[in-house]
Amino acid sequence: MKNLLILVIIVLSVGFVKAQSSVRIDETKLEGTIGNYKISMTLAIPYGGATSCFTIGEYYYTSIKNDINLCEGDDRKLLEIVDGKNTGYFILEAWDKKIGETVRGIWYTMDGVKSYPVTLKVIGKRE
C-alpha cells in the first residue's frame, strides 16, 4: 500500500511539472525566413517556474512542418533544440512584439561554422 501511495505521488508530481512547463503567456507568432527558407515561429514567456528558459517556443520550416524547440536563457541566444541536443541558435535584434513589426537577426550552427540571415514579421499575439 505504501509503495502504491509513493507511485501515485510521483505520477501526480510529474504531471504537475509537465503542466506547468506548458503554460505560456505573452505568445507571439512570427513568419519569415532563415536564409532562403521560409519558417513559422511561436515565442512565449513560460509561466510556472518549471523551466530555466526566459523565452520558450518552437519553429518549423514551412516545407517540412516538424517543430524545433526554442529556449532563450540569460545570454540572449535563442537556442534550438532537436532530440534534446542544442543544434543552433538565433541572435535577434531588439524588438517590441508589435503586430507588423519586422525582426532581424542571424541564425548560427552551434559550432559557428554556418550562419544565415533571419528576417521575421510579427503576425499575431495572444496574452
Side-chain angles (χ1 to χ4, degrees):
M1 183 69 172
K2 187 176 181 181
N3 289 340
L4 180 61
L5 179 61
I6 290 172
L7 180 62
V8 169
I9 290 171
I10 289 171
V11 169
L12 290 175
S13 296
V14 169
F16 180 72
V17 168
K18 262 192 153 177
Q20 282 200 353
S21 66
S22 65
V23 175
R24 301 170 171 212
I25 60 172
D26 199 22
E27 190 173 87
T28 304
K29 296 202 177 283
L30 307 105
E31 288 184 347
T33 58
I34 298 174
N36 294 324
Y37 301 98
K38 291 184 180 186
I39 66 166
S40 183
M41 182 182 287
T42 302
L43 296 174
I45 298 170
Y47 180 77
T51 179
S52 61
C53 305
F54 295 125
T55 302
I56 59 173
E58 60 277 334
Y59 80 98
Y60 60 86
Y61 292 91
T62 56
S63 62
I64 301 172
K65 299 201 181 202
N66 288 337
D67 281 347
I68 299 170
N69 293 320
L70 298 169
C71 171
E72 182 180 45
D74 58 2
D75 60 358
R76 286 196 22 152
K77 288 182 182 177
L78 185 59
L79 293 172
E80 74 173 32
I81 304 156
V82 177
D83 295 328
K85 296 180 183 176
N86 297 341
T87 55
Y89 63 93
F90 294 85
I91 300 290
L92 301 176
E93 296 175 355
W95 53 296
D96 296 322
K97 300 180 183 178
K98 294 179 181 173
I99 293 178
E101 179 179 9
T102 299
V103 181
R104 298 192 191 286
I106 301 175
W107 177 89
Y108 297 91
T109 56
M110 285 308 291
D111 59 11
V113 172
K114 293 182 183 178
S115 65
Y116 297 97
V118 175
T119 304
L120 301 167
K121 189 170 191 166
V122 178
I123 61 164
K125 291 195 49 76
R126 186 173 65 176
E127 299 296 322

